[in-house]
Amino acid sequence: MSENIIKGREYNEISDILNTVKIDKKAAKEIVEIFIKNNLLLTTHAYEYILKNEIYEKGCVEDILKIAKDNGTNIVTEEFIIEFCIKKEEKATNKEEGKEKFGEEIETKKETKTETEKDIKKKLEDKRVEPEKTANIEEKQEGKKTSEESKNEEKKEVEEQVVKIKAKEESVKEQKETVKEQKEAVKEQKEAVKEQKETVKEQKETVKEQKEAVKEQVKENENKRSAIKSNFKISDYSITSDGKISDFAAYFQDKYKILSSIIKRRIEYRDAKEISKINEGDVACIVGMISDKFENKQYGLTLTIEDLTGSMRIIPDKSKISPDTEKLITGLVLDEVIGVKGKMAKGSKTMYVSDIVEPDVPYDIIPNKAEKEIYAVFTSDFHIGSILFLQKEFENFIEWINLKRNRLDIAEKVKYILIAGDIVDGVGVYPHQERELALTDIYKQYDFAAELISKIPKDIEIIISPGNHDAVRIAEPQPELSKKFAPKFYEMKNVHLVKNPAYVNIEGVNVLMYHGESLDNLIRAIPGLSYSAPEKGMKEFLKKRHLSPIYADIFPSEKDNLTIKDIPDVIHCGHVHSIGYENYRGVHLINSGCFQGRTKFQEEMGHTPTPSRVPIMNLKTHNITEMYFGENKEIN
């Protein structure tokens, strides 16, 4: 092996040395790197000497580096190491037995020291004279290694390219398979689309047939409804007055006469006496109108009643009145007419009563019914013109009545629609109302209302009474809508405008229509009443036989047209925007809800309306079906 200078690369020239020496190649490489890091050139002979003599043990190499630096030597040769080792041996003669072999070699080298030193000097001289030769040898070795490395790299690149080509071939193969599968999928999709087109075509044919069938059914149902002949009658009455004070007195006198006569139909009150004719200690019956009601600390509830002859104080005798009478007392209100029975006290015009009765209706009422199965719709409170008018829900109702939705079995037999007031929201009904109006012109409100109502089939009779939001006077009774504000209604032959209240006979069934504004006063005055159950308030109309028992905003007239003289089969109201119905002693009480969303006033009152719900009565059976026309929901 020729002597070479090691510069930190891996050399094939010393592979045979590494194969014979028991040292890890990594450790052998680290020895070379140590010399390179310290800027020292290590000859191959010196490297071989280090390996064979195991000088690479921990500490030895570091010592060589230190000595070389101390001596200013840049090249570490075999001779330098030997010289270093000789000096080291002289200083450490007492080393362990494990180093004997190395010591023996040192002794041998001592004998040839002189000759070796001469050889070293000669070699060093040669190296000084021929540096180019050494460099050429290094370059040749480096070139050889570079050539081999280049070959190895080329071989490696070829192998990598082969691997890439194979991978690409596999990818192309997979892509071909994917394309093939996609073509099959496209083919299947085309077949599916073709089948879908055929299905759609069949569905279109089916839909077309269904539309034709529905059209025929609608036509048949319309023919059924058209075949029903209307049979209704509207009772009229006069509401004229001069507005004199005498008219107010006449109104109360007429109210008293009508209601007292109803109470006197009872056997025990037939002989009722006038207040002016009762003496101290008398036991008697009296019929009077409540003019005062207050709580007495000593006696409890105390009433003042009066008739056409005078007045007297009434104190219920708690020891004698029945539980039913005690319950009745809590519902008594001002201005209603009652009958009392008791004993006159001595020394004062006070009667201690044991019984109190209201006019009420008898238990044995047999309601009138239609001969045919015909339906009547009861509705109210559209409030058209308000920003809260539920137009879409109302149009759902219009579609239903035109036989375009569910429950055609009922729709085809509807012959009457009764609307109990507040068709429009009005203008100036309450402060700042304009902020809540979509239409601020009262004429436009009625024009739009007429446009919507005109969509109702012409073979249905529409009966409309006004409410407190309509363009009529507030005082009740109210006249019908005038032609001035609602001219288009007068052009519709199937629209009939009536007063509030109104008495209508449809198919033999007597209906009392009343908007119901007096419910506000009753709900405030009587414990237990609420807007969520308007039918309970309407029950008070029958008990007191008056539509406005508490006097408020009643038009002065010689006749009281708000008393319920004749008992109707149905009382229909609106106003409170809550649907409710009940049968009281044979009389159907119906409140028809509304088509308006919840207002701010209702929020403040804690009242939640029930819009888009409409009660419909079978006039033959008096059964009521509640229909719901809310948006995005099916009709019940």
Side-chain angles (χ1 to χ4, degrees):
M1 180 184 294
S2 61
E3 187 173 86
N4 294 291
I5 301 300
I6 297 176
K7 295 182 179 178
R9 299 185 297 272
E10 293 184 11
Y11 290 88
N12 294 326
E13 290 86 348
I14 61 172
S15 60
D16 55 335
I17 298 173
L18 297 174
N19 291 332
T20 58
V21 177
K22 294 181 179 180
I23 183 171
D24 183 63
K25 290 182 179 182
K26 183 177 180 182
K29 183 178 178 181
E30 288 176 354
I31 292 170
V32 176
E33 291 175 349
I34 289 171
F35 281 85
I36 293 170
K37 289 179 181 179
N38 288 276
N39 296 319
L40 294 175
L41 299 176
L42 181 66
T43 65
T44 55
H45 286 292
Y47 185 53
E48 181 179 1
Y49 188 87
I50 290 171
L51 297 178
K52 285 185 176 182
N53 293 283
E54 300 180 356
I55 298 177
Y56 52 82
E57 289 180 357
K58 186 176 180 182
C60 294
V61 173
E62 284 78 4
D63 290 340
I64 294 170
L65 296 172
K66 187 175 184 305
I67 295 298
K69 288 182 179 180
D70 292 342
N71 293 333
T73 303
N74 294 325
I75 301 174
V76 178
T77 64
E78 181 182 5
E79 289 78 8
F80 178 85
I81 294 173
I82 291 171
E83 183 180 359
F84 162 73
C85 291
I86 291 170
K87 291 178 181 179
K88 186 172 182 66
E89 179 64 18
E90 289 175 350
K91 293 179 182 179
T93 55
N94 295 325
K95 282 201 170 187
E96 64 275 6
E97 293 180 357
K99 299 287 179 91
E100 287 180 359
K101 183 177 178 180
F102 185 72
E104 291 174 357
E105 187 174 346
I106 292 173
E107 289 295 331
T108 305
K109 294 296 181 177
K110 280 182 181 180
E111 297 175 356
T112 59
K113 177 181 178 183
T114 304
E115 184 179 346
T116 302
E117 288 177 351
K118 291 179 180 181
D119 292 339
I120 288 170
K121 289 178 180 180
K122 185 175 183 305
K123 289 179 180 180
L124 288 173
E125 186 65 28
D126 292 341
K127 286 176 181 177
R128 291 191 190 99
V129 175
E130 299 179 358
E132 293 181 0
K133 183 177 179 180
T134 303
N136 290 335
I137 292 170
E138 291 176 359
E139 290 176 0
K140 191 179 286 185
Q141 289 175 343
E142 290 176 1
K144 184 177 179 182
K145 183 176 180 183
T146 302
S147 178
E148 289 177 356
E149 288 179 349
S150 178
K151 288 179 180 179
N152 290 336
E153 289 177 0
E154 288 178 359
K155 184 178 179 181
K156 187 177 180 181
E157 288 178 1
V158 170
E159 289 175 351
E160 289 176 353
Q161 289 177 356
V162 170
V163 171
K164 289 180 179 179
I165 290 169
K166 287 183 178 179
K168 191 172 183 180
E169 288 176 350
E170 290 296 326
S171 177
V172 170
K173 186 177 179 180
E174 291 176 0
Q175 288 177 355
K176 287 182 178 179
E177 291 295 329
T178 303
V179 170
K180 185 178 179 181
E181 291 175 358
Q182 289 176 346
K183 285 182 178 179
E184 291 294 328
V186 169
K187 186 177 179 181
E188 291 176 359
Q189 287 176 354
K190 286 181 178 180
E191 292 294 328
V193 169
K194 186 177 179 181
E195 291 177 1
Q196 288 176 354
K197 285 182 178 180
E198 292 295 329
T199 303
V200 169
K201 186 177 179 181
E202 292 175 1
Q203 289 176 346
K204 284 183 177 179
E205 291 295 329
T206 302
V207 170
K208 186 177 179 181
E209 291 175 1
Q210 289 175 346
K211 283 183 177 179
E212 290 296 329
V214 169
K215 191 175 180 180
E216 290 296 325
Q217 184 65 43
V218 169
K219 189 175 180 180
E220 182 180 344
N221 291 335
E222 287 177 345
N223 290 336
K224 286 182 180 179
R225 190 160 60 196
S226 298
I228 301 173
K229 187 177 179 180
S230 300
N231 180 16
F232 71 99
K233 181 180 179 181
I234 298 171
S235 299
D236 197 10
Y237 56 91
S238 175
I239 55 173
T240 59
S241 171
D242 295 332
K244 298 178 181 178
I245 295 177
S246 59
D247 291 331
F248 285 95
Y251 163 78
F252 280 103
Q253 289 173 4
D254 189 54
K255 176 180 181 179
Y256 173 77
K257 288 178 181 179
I258 294 171
L259 297 179
S260 64
S261 66
I262 293 173
I263 293 174
K264 289 178 181 179
R265 292 174 190 171
R266 297 170 180 260
I267 295 176
E268 62 270 32
Y269 286 91
R270 284 180 180 173
D271 298 325
K273 292 184 178 181
E274 295 178 344
I275 292 175
S276 61
K277 295 180 180 181
I278 298 178
N279 301 314
E280 295 182 4
D282 286 352
V283 175
C285 293
I286 302 171
V287 177
M289 181 180 293
I290 300 174
S291 59
D292 194 12
K293 177 183 176 182
F294 61 94
E295 286 287 334
N296 186 298
K297 291 183 179 180
Q298 182 178 358
Y299 301 106
L301 178 67
T302 302
L303 303 173
T304 300
I305 64 172
E306 57 184 26
D307 62 10
L308 299 177
T309 65
S311 63
M312 103 174 12
R313 180 175 295 181
I314 300 297
I315 299 176
D317 188 343
K318 294 182 179 180
S319 64
K320 294 181 180 181
I321 60 175
S322 66
D324 289 340
T325 303
E326 190 172 1
K327 184 178 179 181
L328 181 148
I329 289 172
T330 61
L332 295 177
V333 297
L334 295 177
D335 306 321
E336 75 165 299
V337 177
I338 59 174
V340 298
K341 181 180 180 181
K343 185 177 181 180
M344 288 293 297
K346 293 181 179 180
S348 65
K349 279 204 168 185
T350 301
M351 175 181 279
Y352 292 92
V353 301
S354 58
D355 183 50
I356 299 177
V357 297
E358 294 178 300
D360 215 329
V361 294
Y363 289 94
D364 56 352
I365 296 174
I366 300 176
N368 298 298
K369 296 182 179 181
E371 295 180 359
K372 299 178 181 179
E373 192 172 359
I374 298 173
Y375 286 84
V377 172
F378 296 92
T379 185
S380 66
D381 297 271
F382 302 159
H383 290 270
I384 296 170
S386 166
I387 59 174
L388 297 173
F389 168 53
L390 301 177
Q391 183 175 343
K392 180 58 181 175
E393 288 79 353
F394 188 77
E395 288 174 348
N396 289 343
F397 166 71
I398 296 296
E399 284 185 3
W400 174 75
I401 206 69
N402 278 281
L403 309 173
K404 295 180 181 179
R405 295 175 76 91
N406 295 347
R407 297 307 306 267
L408 299 183
D409 58 316
I410 295 177
E412 68 184 12
K413 297 176 182 177
V414 171
K415 197 65 180 176
Y416 301 95
I417 297 178
L418 287 73
I419 305 172
D422 284 358
I423 294 86
V424 299
D425 201 49
V427 177
V429 179
Y430 54 88
H432 308 298
Q433 184 188 13
E434 66 277 2
R435 299 174 185 173
E436 299 179 358
L437 290 177
L439 295 173
T440 56
D441 187 316
I442 188 67
Y443 297 97
K444 289 181 179 179
Q445 288 183 11
Y446 278 111
D447 285 346
F448 187 37
E451 180 184 339
L452 292 172
I453 291 174
S454 67
K455 296 177 181 179
I456 296 173
K458 300 300 183 289
D459 54 7
I460 295 177
E461 306 295 345
I462 304 170
I463 301 170
I464 302 175
S465 65
N468 59 301
H469 277 255
D470 285 302
V472 294
R473 71 187 184 206
I474 295 296
E476 297 174 340
Q478 293 175 306
E480 61 272 14
L481 294 174
S482 70
K483 193 173 184 179
K484 175 183 177 181
F485 293 105
K488 292 184 179 180
F489 283 145
Y490 284 82
E491 298 171 3
M492 302 178 194
K493 293 183 179 181
N494 62 325
V495 171
H496 311 279
L497 303 174
V498 297
K499 297 179 176 68
N500 173 41
Y503 293 85
V504 183
N505 182 288
I506 51 176
E507 305 298 327
V509 178
N510 293 312
V511 178
L512 171 55
M513 295 177 65
Y514 172 58
H515 180 61
E517 189 175 7
S518 67
L519 286 170
D520 293 330
N521 296 327
L522 290 177
I523 290 170
R524 285 191 291 265
I526 301 176
L529 297 186
S530 69
Y531 287 102
S532 60
E535 69 279 5
K536 296 186 183 302
M538 294 172 64
K539 192 188 296 183
E540 297 296 325
F541 294 160
L542 289 175
K543 288 181 178 180
K544 304 174 191 316
R545 296 293 289 271
H546 203 279
L547 294 175
S548 185
I550 303 172
Y551 180 85
D553 293 327
I554 295 176
F555 188 71
S557 174
E558 293 182 356
K559 299 291 182 180
D560 180 9
N561 292 297
L562 297 173
T563 54
I564 304 175
K565 300 176 186 177
D566 301 318
I567 301 170
D569 300 309
V570 178
I571 297 180
H572 170 213
C573 294
H575 185 64
V576 297
H577 292 208
S578 289
I579 190 170
Y581 39 88
E582 182 180 342
N583 188 305
Y584 178 69
R585 298 186 179 182
V587 180
H588 279 282
L589 307 171
I590 301 174
N591 197 292
S592 51
C594 65
F595 275 95
Q596 184 185 33
R598 193 182 190 194
T599 65
K600 290 182 179 179
F601 175 74
Q602 290 166 342
E603 289 179 6
E604 293 171 359
M605 296 293 292
H607 173 45
T608 302
T610 57
S612 311
R613 298 181 182 276
V614 179
I616 302 162
M617 174 181 275
N618 183 330
L619 297 175
K620 183 178 181 180
T621 64
H622 283 204
N623 292 333
I624 296 175
T625 302
E626 181 182 327
M627 303 282 280
Y628 178 63
F629 298 96
E631 181 64 356
N632 298 324
K633 291 185 179 181
E634 289 295 324
I635 299 174
N636 295 337

